[in-house]
C-alpha cells in the first residue's frame, strides 16, 4: 500500500505540476493512494476538484510530506524541501552533475532518488518514461511561437495588392525531439525551414518534414552514445563554422536545441555569427538553462544586441504550456512508477526497486544512503548488431564461372527431361488404355484448359486471392452437369420424385451444386464490394445481356430448327472461355467484378448447354421439371445463406460451400455407377472411384476448415499418435479398394458376387476418404486454413475432371482442369508466401512434430491502452509503421486511406 505525494512546484515561474489528474487516475487504478497538495495544479488549469474526481486526496503541504512514501516533483527540491524528504523516495529532475551539493545532501539523509533526467534514452521501453523528450517536444513548439511573437514580419509569405511579403527563413540547429517539433511548427506556419545536425542519420527526418538539411562538405558522422551528438574533429568544426556564418547572414530566425543534461551547453552561434545577422532577426536558445548555445544568451531574459538581434533565453518554455506539459510529464512519471516492480520480477502490482531493470538502475542515483551516480550505474547500451559473416567468397575466374553456369544449365535440362519423360509415359499409358478417340480428344481439351489455368492464375493480385477462391468454388458448382445428365438418363415414372438410386444421386448432386453456384457467386460479389471505392466508375454489366441472349437464343433456335448437338457444343466452348476469362479478370482490381460476371456467364452457358444435352439424350419432361425445381430451391437456399453472411465470415463460408461441391461430386459419381453397373469400362470405373475419393476428402475437409475458421472448433492441430502412419494406412486401404473395384474377379474365388464387391469397395472408399479428409485437415493448425482451402479448391477441380472423363463431357474436363491447376498454383504461391511446406499442408502436417504440447508460453510485456489522440501521436512520431492487413481493414474500407 503505497502513497504517492504530488507537490506544488516552488521554483519561481514554474506553472507545471508533476502529475495531472489523468495520470493520477492511472496510479489509483493500480492500487496506489495519491495525495495532492492543495492548489498544486491550479497554474496548469487543474482544479482540486479534478484531482478528487480522479480518486486523489487533496491535503495541505505538510500532510503530503507526512503521508507520502513517494514524492514526485518536476524541478529539483529547494533547501527548505530537502530535509522533509529524508528516508522517502523522490522522483524528480535532479541534474546530479550540476546540482552536486543537492545530490550529496539527499544521499546523506537516505533519500532514494530517481533522477528523471537520467533516463536511458537508447532503451526502447524507457521512451515511455522519457520526460526529456516529452518536454523537449513542447519546448520546440513553444520556441517557434516565441520567435514569431518577437519577429517583426509574417512567418508565411503573402502577396497582396499592397505589396509582397517574403516568408521568414528559419534555421534549426540540432535535430533532436525539440528540433523536429520546431521544424514541424515553423513549416506549418509557412516559413522556409532549414536544419543542421552533425548526425547524418537525421537528414531523412528533416527532409520528410519538408525542410532543407544543411550539410558540411566533409564526411564525418556525429552520432554518439545515448542518442546525443559527439565531439567533432577540428577540420569539421572549421567547415561547419563557415557554413553557419553564411546561414546566419541569410536567415531571419535561429532556434538552437543542443542541450545534454548535466553538461555545459556548447556554443553554436558565436559573436561573429551574431554580428552578421540582420536587424530584427530572432534567436531562441533552448539550452539557456545550461549556459546557452548563443554567445550572449542570458537565462530567463530577452535581450537585444547592438545590431538589433533579439535573443530569447527562456528556461521555462514547457511551463508556458503548463496544461499539456503537465499531462505528458505526469504520464511519463505514472508509467515509470507502474513499471518499477514488474519489468523483470513479473510480480504485477508490487512496487519493488529492481536493480536488474535497466531503466531503474540508470535512474536510481541514490539508494539507502549510497551515492550510485555515476560510478555504480551501468550505462545502458543497446545490444550490438549481429556480427557480419566473414566474407569467405572466392572470386572465380571467367572459365570457372562459365563451367559453373554450364553445370547449372545441365542440371536444369536433366530435370526438365525427367519431367517430360514422365509425361510421355503417362500419355502413352493413356493412349494404350483409351476406349476410343473421343477419350483422346477429351484429354487434349483437359491439357489445354489446364495450361490456361496455369498461366492466368500467376497474374492474380495477392489481395484478390480470396475472391479468386470464391469464384473458382462457384464455378466448381458445375458438378450440377453430372447431376442433370443423371436425371435425363432413363425413364421417369414418378413425376417430380426420383424413381431410382441413380436418379436420387443425380437429384442430390443437382440440388447441392445449385446451392454452391448461387451462394458462391454472391459471396464473391460481397468480397469484391469490400474493395470498391466510392469514386470508382459505375459498371454497366447489363450490356453483356446482349451477347448472352444471342448465345442462349441461338441454342433455342437450334432446338426448334435442328442441329442442336453442334450448337450445344459451341455454347459449351463459350462457357469454358468465360470461365478462363473469369480467372484472368481477377488479376486486377479494376477488372475483378467483370471477372465474377464472366464466371456467372460461363456457368450459365454450361448449364444451358447441359439442358440441350438432356434433350439430345431424350430426357422426359419430368427430368426437366426436376432440374427446374431442384435448381430453384438450391439457388434460393444458397443466396439466402450468402446474403446473411457478414464481411468477416466470408472466408469460412467459402469453405462451407466447398463441402457441398465434394458431396455433389460423390453423388454424381455414385449415380453414374448405380445407373450403369456391369456396363462400364475400366477407364470409367477408375474415374468414378477417383471422383468419390476426391469428393470425400473435399467434403469433410471443407467442413473442418469451416469449423476452425468460424471458431466452432479449436484452431489447434489434432495430434493423434502415429498421425502420418494413420494417413498412409487409409490411403493404402483406399488403393486396395480401387484395385478390387476395377477388377472384382480377384475375389470371385471367395464366392462373392462381382457387383457386390464393386458396390462395397465404392461405399468403403466414400466412408474412408471422408474420414481421411477429416483427419488431414484437423491435423493442420487454424492459421494455415486459408492454404488448406486452396488445396480443397484444387481437389474440387480434380473431382470435376474425373466426372468429365466418366461422362465423356469436355466441358467438365475443361472447367475441372482450370480449377484444379489454378488451385494448385495458388496453393504453391500461398505456401511460399507463408513459409509453409506444400507437402506438409497436402498430407495433413506430415513431417511436423506430433509430440504433446508442453506448458503454454507465458505472455510477457504490457498492453498499453490509449486514446485515439495518443495513437495519432504515436503514428506521427514513428520512424516506420507495420500494417498487418486483414478482413477487419477491408470491412472498415480503411485500405484506401492506408494506400
Amino acid at each position: 500500500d503505497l502513497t504517492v505525494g504530488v507537490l506544488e512546484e516552488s521554483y519561481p515561474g514554474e506553472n507545471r505540476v508533476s502529475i495531472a489528474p489523468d495520470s493520477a487516475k492511472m496510479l489509483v487504478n493500480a492500487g496506489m493512494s495519491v495525495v495532492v497538495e492543495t492548489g498544486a495544479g491550479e497554474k496548469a488549469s487543474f482544479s482540486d476538484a479534478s484531482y478528487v474526481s480522479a480518486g486523489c486526496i487533496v491535503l495541505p503541504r505538510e500532510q503530503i510530506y507526512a503521508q507520502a512514501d513517494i514524492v514526485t516533483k518536476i524541478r529539483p527540491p529547494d533547501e527548505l524541501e530537502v530535509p522533509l524528504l529524508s528516508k522517502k523516495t523522490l522522483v524528480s529532475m535532479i541534474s546530479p552533475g550540476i546540482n552536486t551539493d543537492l545530490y550529496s545532501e539527499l544521499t546523506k539523509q537516505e533519500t532514494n532518488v530517481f533522477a528523471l533526467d537520467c533516463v536511458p534514452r537508447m532503451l526502447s521501453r524507457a521512451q515511455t518514461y522519457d520526460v526529456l523528450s516529452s518536454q523537449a517536444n513542447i519546448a520546440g513548439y513553444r520556441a517557434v511561437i516565441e520567435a514569431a511573437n518577437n519577429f517583426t514580419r509574417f512567418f508565411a509569405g503573402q502577396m497582396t495588392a499592397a505589396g509582397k511579403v517574403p516568408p521568414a527563413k528559419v534555421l534549426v540547429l540540432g535535430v533532436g525531439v525539440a528540433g523536429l517539433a520546431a521544424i514541424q511548427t515553423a513549416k506549418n506556419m509557412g516559413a522556409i525551414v532549414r536544419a543542421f545536425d552533425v548526425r547524418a542519420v537525421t537528414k531523412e527526418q528533416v527532409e520528410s518534414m519538408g525542410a532543407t538539411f544543411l550539410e558540411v562538405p566533409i564526411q564525418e558522422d556525429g552520432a554518439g552514445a545515448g542518442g546525443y551528438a559527439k565531439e567533432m574533429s577540428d577540420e569539421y568544426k572549421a567547415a561547419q563554422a563557415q557554413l553557419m556564418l553564411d546561414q546566419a547572414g541569410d536567415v531571419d530566425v535561429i532556434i538552437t536545441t543542443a542541450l545534454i543534461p548535466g553538461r555545459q551547453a556548447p556554443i553554436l552561434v558565436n559573436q561573429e555569427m551574431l554580428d552578421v545577422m540582420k536587424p530584427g532577426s530572432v534567436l531562441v536558445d533552448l539550452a539557456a538553462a545550461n549556459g546557452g548555445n548563443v554567445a550572449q544568451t542570458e537565462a530567463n531574459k530577452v535581450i537585444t544586441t547592438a545590431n538589433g538581434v533579439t535573443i530569447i533565453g527562456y528556461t521555462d518554455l514547457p511551463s508556458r504550456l503548463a496544461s499539456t506539459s503537465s499531462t505528458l510529464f505526469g504520464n511519463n512519471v505514472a508509467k515509470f512508477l507502474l513499471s518499477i516492480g514488474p519489468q523483470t520480477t513479473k510480480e504485477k502490482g508490487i512496487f519493488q526497486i529492481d536493480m536488474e531493470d535497466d531503466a531503474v538502475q540508470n535512474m536510481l542515483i541514490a539508494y539507502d544512503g549510497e551515492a550510485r551516480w555515476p560510478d555504480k550505474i551501468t550505462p545502458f547500451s543497446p545490444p550490438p548488431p549481429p556480427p557480419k559473416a566473414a566474407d569467405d567468397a572466392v572470386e572465380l575466374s571467367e572459365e570457372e564461372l562459365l563451367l559453373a553456369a554450364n553445370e547449372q544449365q545441365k542440371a536444369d535440362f536433366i530435370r526438365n527431361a525427367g519431367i517430360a519423360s514422365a509425361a510421355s509415359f503417362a500419355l502413352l499409358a493413356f493412349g494404350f488404355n483409351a476406349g476410343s478417340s473421343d477419350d483422346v480428344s477429351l484429354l487434349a481439351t483437359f491439357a489445354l484448359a489446364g495450361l490456361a489455368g496455369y498461366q492466368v492464375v500467376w497474374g492474380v493480385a495477392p489481395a484478390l486471392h480470396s475472391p479468386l477462391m470464391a469464384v473458382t468454388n462457384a464455378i466448381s458448382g458445375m458438378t450440377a452437369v453430372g447431376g442433370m445428365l443423371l436425371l435425363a438418363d432413363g425413364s421417369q415414372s414418378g413425376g417430380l420424385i426420383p424413381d431410382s438410386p441413380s436418379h436420387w444421386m443425380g437429384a442430390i448432386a443437382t440440388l447441392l451444386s445449385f446451392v454452391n453456384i448461387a451462394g458462391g457467386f454472391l459471396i464473391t460479389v460481397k468480397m469484391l464490394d469490400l474493395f470498391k471505392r466510392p469514386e470508382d466508375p459505375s459498371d454497366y454489366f447489363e450490356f453483356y445481356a446482349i451477347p448472352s441472349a444471342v448465345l442462349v437464343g441461338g441454342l433455342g433456335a437450334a432446338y426448334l430448327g435442328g442441329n442442336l448437338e453442334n450448337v450445344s457444343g459451341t455454347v459449351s466452348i463459350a462457357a469454358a472461355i468465360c470461365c478462363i476469362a473469369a480467372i484472368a479478370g481477377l488479376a486486377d482490381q479494376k477488372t475483378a467484378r467483370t471477372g465474377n460476371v464472366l464466371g456467372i456467364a460461363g456457368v450459365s452457358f454450361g448449364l444451358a448447354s447441359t439442358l440441350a444435352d438432356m434433350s439430345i439424350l431424350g430426357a422426359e419432361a419430368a427430368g426437366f421439371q426436376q432440374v427446374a425445381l431442384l435448381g430453384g430451391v438450391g439457388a434460393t437456399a444458397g443466396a439466402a445463406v450468402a446474403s446473411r453472411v457478414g464481411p468477416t465470415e466470408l472466408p469460412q463460408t467459402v469453405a462451407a460451400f466447398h463441402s457441398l461441391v465434394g458431396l455433389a461430386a460423390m453423388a454424381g459419381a455414385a449415380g453414374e455407377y448405380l445407373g450403369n453397373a456391369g456396363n462400364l469400362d475400366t477407364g470409367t470405373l477408375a474415374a468414378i472411384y477417383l471422383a468419390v475419393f476426391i469428393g470425400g476428402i473435399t467434403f469433410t475437409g471443407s467442413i473442418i476448415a469451416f469449423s476452425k475458421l468460424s471458431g466452432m472448433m479449436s484452431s489447434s492441430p489434432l495430434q493423434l499418435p502415429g498421425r502420418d502412419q494413420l494417413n498412409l494406412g487409409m490411403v493404402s486401404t483406399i488403393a486396395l479398394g480401387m484395385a478390387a473395384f476395377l477388377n472384382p474377379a480377384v475375389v470371385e474365388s471367395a464366392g462373392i458376387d462381382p457387383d457386390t464387391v464393386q458396390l462395397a469397395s465404392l461405399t468403403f472408399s466414400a466412408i474412408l476418404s471422408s474420414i481421411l479428409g477429416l483427419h488431414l485437415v484437423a491435423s493442420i493448425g487454424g492459421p494455415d486454413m486459408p492454404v488448406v482451402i486452396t488445396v480443397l479448391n484444387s481437389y474440387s477441380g480434380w473431382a470435376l475432371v474425373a466426372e468429365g472423363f466418366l461422362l465423356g463431357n469436355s466441358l467438365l474436363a475443361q472447367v475441372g482442369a482450370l480449377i484444379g491447376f489454378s488451385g494448385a498454383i495458388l496453393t504453391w504461391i500461398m505456401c511460399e508466401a507463408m513459409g509453409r511446406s506444400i507437402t506438409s499442408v497436402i498430407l495433413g502436417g506430415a513431417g511436423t512434430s506430433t509430440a504433446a504440447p508442453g506448458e503454454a508460453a507465458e505472455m510477457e510485456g504490457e498492453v498499453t491502452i490509449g486514446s485515439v489522440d495518443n495513437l495519432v501521436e504515436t503514428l506521427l512520431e514513428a520512424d516506420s509503421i507495420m500494417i498487418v492487413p486483414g478482413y477487419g481493414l477491408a470491412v472498415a474500407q480503411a485500405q484506401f486511406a492506408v494506400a
Side-chain angles (χ1 to χ4, degrees):
D1 183 18
L2 289 173
T3 299
V4 177
V6 182
L7 296 172
E8 180 180 6
E9 294 297 318
S10 58
Y11 189 86
E14 181 58 73
N15 299 320
R16 294 172 293 174
V17 62
S18 58
I19 292 183
D22 287 346
S23 308
K25 191 172 184 179
M26 294 169 56
L27 298 176
V28 172
N29 291 341
M32 296 184 183
S33 299
V34 180
V35 292
V36 182
E37 181 181 352
T38 303
E42 291 291 344
K43 296 176 183 177
S45 302
F46 300 128
S47 65
D48 290 345
S50 65
Y51 281 102
V52 172
S53 64
C56 306
I57 301 173
V58 178
L59 298 173
R61 190 177 187 85
E62 59 273 10
Q63 291 188 36
I64 301 294
Y65 284 110
Q67 295 187 21
D69 303 299
I70 303 170
V71 175
T72 65
K73 283 181 57 59
I74 293 179
R75 300 279 188 168
D78 59 29
E79 58 186 9
L80 297 177
E81 294 173 321
V82 169
L84 301 174
L85 294 169
S86 177
K87 297 191 177 181
K88 294 185 180 295
T89 296
L90 172 65
V91 180
S92 174
M93 305 279 278
I94 297 296
S95 298
I98 296 176
N99 300 315
T100 53
D101 293 340
L102 169 65
Y103 174 39
S104 176
E105 187 62 30
L106 289 170
T107 303
K108 288 178 182 178
Q109 64 181 27
E110 298 185 11
T111 301
N112 296 332
V113 181
F114 286 102
L116 294 172
D117 46 319
C118 291
V119 59
R121 306 186 76 180
M122 298 299 288
L123 176 64
S124 296
R125 173 168 54 84
Q127 294 176 10
T128 308
Y129 338 127
D130 189 357
V131 297
L132 298 175
S133 292
S134 68
Q135 302 305 290
N137 180 44
I138 296 170
Y141 168 85
R142 185 68 189 197
V144 178
I145 302 301
E146 295 293 341
N149 185 50
N150 286 270
F151 190 51
T152 56
R153 291 205 325 262
F154 298 132
F155 260 39
Q158 290 190 8
M159 184 174 292
T160 69
K164 177 182 177 182
V165 179
K169 297 177 182 178
V170 177
L171 173 61
V172 178
L173 299 180
V175 187
V177 176
L180 290 171
I183 292 170
Q184 184 178 33
T185 306
K187 282 295 296 181
N188 290 343
M189 294 177 67
I192 296 173
V193 183
R194 304 164 186 170
F196 175 78
D197 197 297
V198 295
R199 297 165 296 181
V201 71
T202 61
K203 177 181 179 180
E204 184 178 346
Q205 296 172 303
V206 170
E207 293 178 343
S208 69
M209 290 183 167
T212 301
F213 185 78
L214 303 177
E215 296 183 81
V216 175
I218 293 179
Q219 295 299 319
E220 185 175 345
D221 190 3
Y228 298 104
K230 70 177 184 181
E231 188 79 7
M232 306 301 288
S233 67
D234 292 339
E235 183 183 11
Y236 183 93
K237 288 179 180 178
Q240 175 187 338
Q242 185 58 50
L243 174 66
M244 293 297 101
L245 186 62
D246 295 340
Q247 289 295 318
D250 184 45
V251 300
D252 303 299
V253 175
I254 297 179
I255 298 173
T256 64
T257 68
L259 175 64
I260 301 177
R263 290 197 197 170
Q264 185 74 17
I267 296 295
L268 301 182
V269 181
N270 55 28
Q271 188 61 47
E272 185 180 9
M273 292 172 62
L274 284 174
D275 291 340
V276 300
M277 292 187 73
K278 295 174 287 188
S281 299
V282 178
L283 289 102
V284 183
D285 191 342
L286 271 63
N290 287 14
N293 297 139
V294 181
Q296 295 189 33
T297 293
E298 295 185 28
N300 298 311
K301 290 184 179 180
V302 178
I303 67 169
T304 302
T305 65
N307 60 332
V309 177
T310 302
I311 303 175
I312 301 173
Y314 295 144
T315 61
D316 62 345
L317 289 174
S319 184
R320 291 169 182 256
L321 288 170
S323 179
T324 301
S325 299
S326 300
T327 299
L328 299 182
F329 192 99
N331 284 340
N332 294 142
V333 173
K335 290 177 181 179
F336 175 64
L337 289 175
L338 293 176
S339 75
I340 288 179
Q343 280 302 327
T344 57
T345 64
K346 310 305 176 192
E347 298 182 50
K348 300 285 185 181
I350 297 178
F351 182 87
Q352 177 176 316
I353 295 179
D354 179 12
M355 294 299 185
E356 298 299 318
D357 186 296
D358 288 313
V360 169
Q361 72 93 17
N362 271 267
M363 298 168 71
L364 183 63
I365 62 172
Y367 184 55
D368 284 344
E370 178 186 35
R372 302 188 66 251
W373 185 91
D375 299 331
K376 297 185 179 180
I377 288 177
T378 303
F380 173 78
S381 296
K388 293 183 179 179
D391 189 5
D392 297 328
V394 178
E395 188 173 347
L396 301 177
S397 65
E398 290 186 8
E399 292 78 7
E400 291 172 323
L401 289 172
L402 179 60
L403 180 62
N406 285 334
E407 290 296 325
Q408 181 61 48
Q409 187 86 331
K410 181 180 178 181
D412 292 341
F413 272 86
I414 291 174
R415 184 186 69 250
N416 293 336
I419 295 173
S421 299
S424 300
F425 279 115
L427 287 172
L428 287 173
F430 185 89
F432 280 116
N433 291 280
S436 67
S437 59
D438 291 340
D439 292 339
V440 177
S441 298
L442 197 61
L443 180 64
T445 59
F446 161 78
L448 292 174
L451 182 62
Y454 175 87
Q455 293 295 330
V456 297
V457 76
W458 288 106
V460 176
L464 295 172
H465 282 171
S466 292
L468 172 65
M469 286 189 287
V471 164
T472 52
N473 169 66
I475 294 174
S476 65
M478 294 286 275
T479 46
V481 170
M484 293 166 65
L485 293 177
L486 283 173
L487 292 173
D489 189 23
S491 62
Q492 291 273 14
S493 60
L496 292 177
I497 305 299
D499 59 358
S500 68
S502 65
H503 287 158
W504 273 108
M505 291 295 102
I508 292 171
T510 302
L511 176 67
L512 296 179
S513 298
F514 272 92
V515 173
N516 179 71
I517 290 169
F521 280 122
L522 183 53
I523 288 293
T524 308
V525 169
K526 298 179 80 168
M527 281 184 174
L528 293 175
D529 283 346
L530 297 176
F531 296 93
K532 189 174 182 180
R533 302 171 185 264
E535 65 271 16
D536 283 348
S538 300
D539 296 314
Y540 299 95
F541 294 130
E542 58 268 21
F543 290 107
Y544 290 169
I546 298 174
S548 300
V550 170
L551 271 177
V552 176
L555 194 61
Y559 172 75
L560 297 173
N563 205 23
L564 182 60
E565 186 172 356
N566 289 339
V567 175
S568 174
T570 57
V571 173
S572 70
I573 292 174
I577 292 173
C578 285
C579 290
I580 294 172
I583 295 181
L586 266 294
D588 187 83
Q589 205 162 301
K590 295 178 181 178
T591 58
R593 289 190 293 279
T594 301
N596 188 44
V597 171
L598 288 172
I600 295 172
V603 173
S604 300
F605 295 154
L607 296 176
S609 174
T610 304
L611 289 173
D613 292 340
M614 290 176 64
S615 177
I616 294 168
L617 292 172
E620 299 177 356
F624 290 101
Q625 292 169 358
Q626 289 170 354
V627 170
L629 176 62
L630 294 168
V633 172
T636 302
V641 171
S643 63
R644 291 197 298 268
V645 173
T648 58
E649 300 165 343
L650 295 176
Q652 55 259 42
T653 308
V654 173
F657 284 134
H658 261 131
S659 68
L660 302 181
V661 174
L663 192 55
M666 295 175 72
E672 181 68 17
Y673 171 76
L674 294 173
N676 300 279
N679 300 313
L680 300 170
D681 58 38
T682 302
T684 303
L685 288 173
I688 289 172
Y689 198 89
L690 289 174
V692 170
F693 168 61
I694 299 171
I697 293 176
T698 306
F699 169 49
T700 54
S702 298
I703 291 176
I704 297 301
F706 166 77
S707 301
K708 288 199 172 191
L709 286 173
S710 62
M712 297 171 61
M713 281 182 62
S714 170
S715 63
S716 301
L718 179 67
Q719 295 180 323
L720 295 179
R723 175 199 60 202
D724 297 343
Q725 290 74 19
L726 282 173
N727 292 335
L728 180 60
M730 285 188 277
V731 171
S732 300
T733 304
I734 291 171
L736 292 175
M738 185 174 184
F741 183 73
L742 297 179
N743 187 17
V746 296
V747 293
E748 280 188 17
S749 59
I752 304 175
D753 178 62
D755 290 341
T756 303
V757 172
Q758 286 184 321
L759 184 60
S761 297
L762 194 63
T763 303
F764 185 72
S765 172
I767 295 172
L768 196 56
S769 64
S770 298
I771 295 173
L772 177 62
L774 185 152
H775 186 243
L776 284 172
V777 178
S779 300
I780 299 174
D784 289 334
M785 284 302 108
V787 185
V788 171
I789 292 177
T790 64
V791 173
L792 297 171
N793 192 33
S794 181
Y795 287 169
S796 67
W798 303 126
L800 273 180
V801 170
E803 271 204 272
F805 275 92
L806 72 90
L807 295 173
N809 188 292
S810 60
L811 177 60
L812 288 181
Q814 291 164 356
V815 173
L818 178 70
I819 296 172
F821 279 107
S822 62
I825 296 301
L826 186 57
T827 300
W828 187 87
I829 291 172
M830 294 183 70
C831 284
E832 286 292 305
M834 298 172 64
R836 299 293 191 269
S837 165
I838 189 170
T839 304
S840 177
V841 171
I842 293 174
L843 300 182
T848 59
S849 173
T850 57
E855 295 183 4
E858 182 180 352
M859 301 303 293
E860 301 180 354
E862 297 180 356
V863 176
T864 302
I865 300 176
S867 64
V868 173
D869 291 337
N870 288 340
L871 175 60
V872 171
E873 180 183 349
T874 302
L875 291 174
L876 290 174
E877 292 181 353
D879 293 325
S880 58
I881 300 169
M882 179 181 292
I883 297 175
V884 182
Y887 270 91
L889 189 75
V891 170
Q893 297 202 344
Q895 69 271 26
F896 306 134
V898 170

